[in-house]
mmCIF file of all heavy atoms in Angstrom:
data_model
loop_
_atom_site.group_PDB
_atom_site.id
_atom_site.type_symbol
_atom_site.label_atom_id
_atom_site.label_comp_id
_atom_site.label_asym_id
_atom_site.label_seq_id
_atom_site.Cartn_x
_atom_site.Cartn_y
_atom_site.Cartn_z
ATOM 1 N N LEU B 207 50.900 20.083 1.071
ATOM 2 C CA LEU B 207 50.835 21.436 1.651
ATOM 3 C C LEU B 207 51.646 21.504 2.946
ATOM 4 O O LEU B 207 52.417 22.443 3.168
ATOM 5 C CB LEU B 207 49.370 21.818 1.907
ATOM 6 C CG LEU B 207 49.134 23.204 2.506
ATOM 7 C CD1 LEU B 207 49.718 24.288 1.613
ATOM 8 C CD2 LEU B 207 47.644 23.457 2.714
ATOM 9 N N LEU B 208 51.494 20.477 3.782
ATOM 10 C CA LEU B 208 52.254 20.442 5.037
ATOM 11 C C LEU B 208 53.760 20.356 4.760
ATOM 12 O O LEU B 208 54.564 21.016 5.415
ATOM 13 C CB LEU B 208 51.795 19.266 5.911
ATOM 14 C CG LEU B 208 50.330 19.332 6.368
ATOM 15 C CD1 LEU B 208 49.955 18.078 7.150
ATOM 16 C CD2 LEU B 208 50.065 20.569 7.213
ATOM 17 N N VAL B 209 54.110 19.544 3.750
ATOM 18 C CA VAL B 209 55.525 19.418 3.376
ATOM 19 C C VAL B 209 56.061 20.768 2.894
ATOM 20 O O VAL B 209 57.169 21.190 3.263
ATOM 21 C CB VAL B 209 55.707 18.332 2.276
ATOM 22 C CG1 VAL B 209 57.117 18.370 1.704
ATOM 23 C CG2 VAL B 209 55.419 16.946 2.839
ATOM 24 N N MET B 210 55.267 21.475 2.081
ATOM 25 C CA MET B 210 55.710 22.770 1.566
ATOM 26 C C MET B 210 55.824 23.814 2.687
ATOM 27 O O MET B 210 56.709 24.679 2.645
ATOM 28 C CB MET B 210 54.738 23.268 0.485
ATOM 29 C CG MET B 210 54.857 22.529 -0.830
ATOM 30 S SD MET B 210 56.483 22.737 -1.617
ATOM 31 C CE MET B 210 56.219 24.227 -2.551
ATOM 32 N N ILE B 211 54.934 23.735 3.674
ATOM 33 C CA ILE B 211 55.017 24.681 4.794
ATOM 34 C C ILE B 211 56.334 24.472 5.549
ATOM 35 O O ILE B 211 57.055 25.425 5.867
ATOM 36 C CB ILE B 211 53.793 24.520 5.743
ATOM 37 C CG1 ILE B 211 52.528 25.007 5.043
ATOM 38 C CG2 ILE B 211 54.012 25.280 7.047
ATOM 39 C CD1 ILE B 211 51.243 24.668 5.776
ATOM 40 N N VAL B 212 56.678 23.199 5.798
ATOM 41 C CA VAL B 212 57.937 22.896 6.488
ATOM 42 C C VAL B 212 59.127 23.310 5.614
ATOM 43 O O VAL B 212 60.099 23.901 6.094
ATOM 44 C CB VAL B 212 58.018 21.390 6.846
ATOM 45 C CG1 VAL B 212 59.361 21.063 7.492
ATOM 46 C CG2 VAL B 212 56.882 20.994 7.775
ATOM 47 N N ALA B 213 59.020 23.032 4.294
ATOM 48 C CA ALA B 213 60.114 23.370 3.371
ATOM 49 C C ALA B 213 60.355 24.879 3.332
ATOM 50 O O ALA B 213 61.499 25.338 3.402
ATOM 51 C CB ALA B 213 59.787 22.851 1.973
ATOM 52 N N PHE B 214 59.291 25.655 3.232
ATOM 53 C CA PHE B 214 59.430 27.123 3.204
ATOM 54 C C PHE B 214 60.025 27.623 4.525
ATOM 55 O O PHE B 214 60.842 28.545 4.545
ATOM 56 C CB PHE B 214 58.070 27.793 2.952
ATOM 57 C CG PHE B 214 57.777 28.034 1.492
ATOM 58 C CD1 PHE B 214 57.849 27.004 0.562
ATOM 59 C CD2 PHE B 214 57.419 29.297 1.038
ATOM 60 C CE1 PHE B 214 57.581 27.229 -0.789
ATOM 61 C CE2 PHE B 214 57.154 29.535 -0.306
ATOM 62 C CZ PHE B 214 57.221 28.500 -1.217
ATOM 63 N N THR B 215 59.592 27.004 5.625
ATOM 64 C CA THR B 215 60.108 27.419 6.937
ATOM 65 C C THR B 215 61.613 27.148 7.020
ATOM 66 O O THR B 215 62.383 27.991 7.503
ATOM 67 C CB THR B 215 59.363 26.661 8.062
ATOM 68 O OG1 THR B 215 57.969 26.855 7.879
ATOM 69 C CG2 THR B 215 59.778 27.159 9.438
ATOM 70 N N LEU B 216 62.035 25.969 6.531
ATOM 71 C CA LEU B 216 63.465 25.633 6.555
ATOM 72 C C LEU B 216 64.246 26.522 5.594
ATOM 73 O O LEU B 216 65.390 26.889 5.867
ATOM 74 C CB LEU B 216 63.665 24.154 6.225
ATOM 75 C CG LEU B 216 63.177 23.195 7.311
ATOM 76 C CD1 LEU B 216 63.198 21.760 6.804
ATOM 77 C CD2 LEU B 216 64.018 23.315 8.568
ATOM 78 N N TYR B 217 63.625 26.862 4.463
ATOM 79 C CA TYR B 217 64.272 27.773 3.516
ATOM 80 C C TYR B 217 64.496 29.126 4.187
ATOM 81 O O TYR B 217 65.573 29.715 4.059
ATOM 82 C CB TYR B 217 63.392 27.939 2.274
ATOM 83 C CG TYR B 217 64.100 28.548 1.077
ATOM 84 C CD1 TYR B 217 64.715 27.735 0.139
ATOM 85 C CD2 TYR B 217 64.150 29.932 0.891
ATOM 86 C CE1 TYR B 217 65.360 28.272 -0.968
ATOM 87 C CE2 TYR B 217 64.796 30.480 -0.207
ATOM 88 C CZ TYR B 217 65.394 29.649 -1.132
ATOM 89 O OH TYR B 217 66.040 30.194 -2.216
ATOM 90 N N PHE B 218 63.481 29.576 4.923
ATOM 91 C CA PHE B 218 63.623 30.825 5.680
ATOM 92 C C PHE B 218 64.746 30.700 6.712
ATOM 93 O O PHE B 218 65.585 31.600 6.851
ATOM 94 C CB PHE B 218 62.293 31.179 6.371
ATOM 95 C CG PHE B 218 62.443 32.188 7.473
ATOM 96 C CD1 PHE B 218 62.672 33.527 7.177
ATOM 97 C CD2 PHE B 218 62.390 31.795 8.806
ATOM 98 C CE1 PHE B 218 62.840 34.461 8.192
ATOM 99 C CE2 PHE B 218 62.559 32.720 9.818
ATOM 100 C CZ PHE B 218 62.783 34.050 9.512
ATOM 101 N N CYS B 219 64.778 29.579 7.431
ATOM 102 C CA CYS B 219 65.818 29.366 8.456
ATOM 103 C C CYS B 219 67.212 29.371 7.811
ATOM 104 O O CYS B 219 68.169 29.900 8.392
ATOM 105 C CB CYS B 219 65.592 28.050 9.198
ATOM 106 S SG CYS B 219 64.128 28.064 10.228
ATOM 107 N N TRP B 220 67.317 28.775 6.618
ATOM 108 C CA TRP B 220 68.604 28.767 5.894
ATOM 109 C C TRP B 220 69.066 30.198 5.614
ATOM 110 O O TRP B 220 70.197 30.575 5.963
ATOM 111 C CB TRP B 220 68.463 27.972 4.593
ATOM 112 C CG TRP B 220 69.625 28.094 3.664
ATOM 113 C CD1 TRP B 220 70.948 28.002 4.010
ATOM 114 C CD2 TRP B 220 69.599 28.361 2.257
ATOM 115 N NE1 TRP B 220 71.733 28.184 2.884
ATOM 116 C CE2 TRP B 220 70.940 28.413 1.799
ATOM 117 C CE3 TRP B 220 68.579 28.547 1.327
ATOM 118 C CZ2 TRP B 220 71.273 28.652 0.468
ATOM 119 C CZ3 TRP B 220 68.916 28.770 -0.006
ATOM 120 C CH2 TRP B 220 70.243 28.821 -0.416
ATOM 121 N N LEU B 221 68.173 30.977 5.007
ATOM 122 C CA LEU B 221 68.551 32.349 4.662
ATOM 123 C C LEU B 221 68.742 33.204 5.913
ATOM 124 O O LEU B 221 69.612 34.078 5.958
ATOM 125 C CB LEU B 221 67.502 32.979 3.738
ATOM 126 C CG LEU B 221 67.346 32.306 2.373
ATOM 127 C CD1 LEU B 221 66.450 33.126 1.470
ATOM 128 C CD2 LEU B 221 68.695 32.089 1.704
ATOM 129 N N LEU B 222 67.932 32.932 6.950
ATOM 130 C CA LEU B 222 68.093 33.698 8.191
ATOM 131 C C LEU B 222 69.465 33.436 8.802
ATOM 132 O O LEU B 222 70.132 34.360 9.287
ATOM 133 C CB LEU B 222 66.989 33.337 9.197
ATOM 134 C CG LEU B 222 67.079 34.058 10.540
ATOM 135 C CD1 LEU B 222 66.815 35.560 10.366
ATOM 136 C CD2 LEU B 222 66.098 33.490 11.555
#
Side-chain angles (χ1 to χ4, degrees):
Chain B
L207 180 58
L208 297 176
V209 170
M210 286 297 272
I211 291 170
V212 177
F214 269 53
T215 306
L216 290 170
Y217 196 92
F218 163 74
C219 292
W220 170 46
L221 297 189
L222 179 67

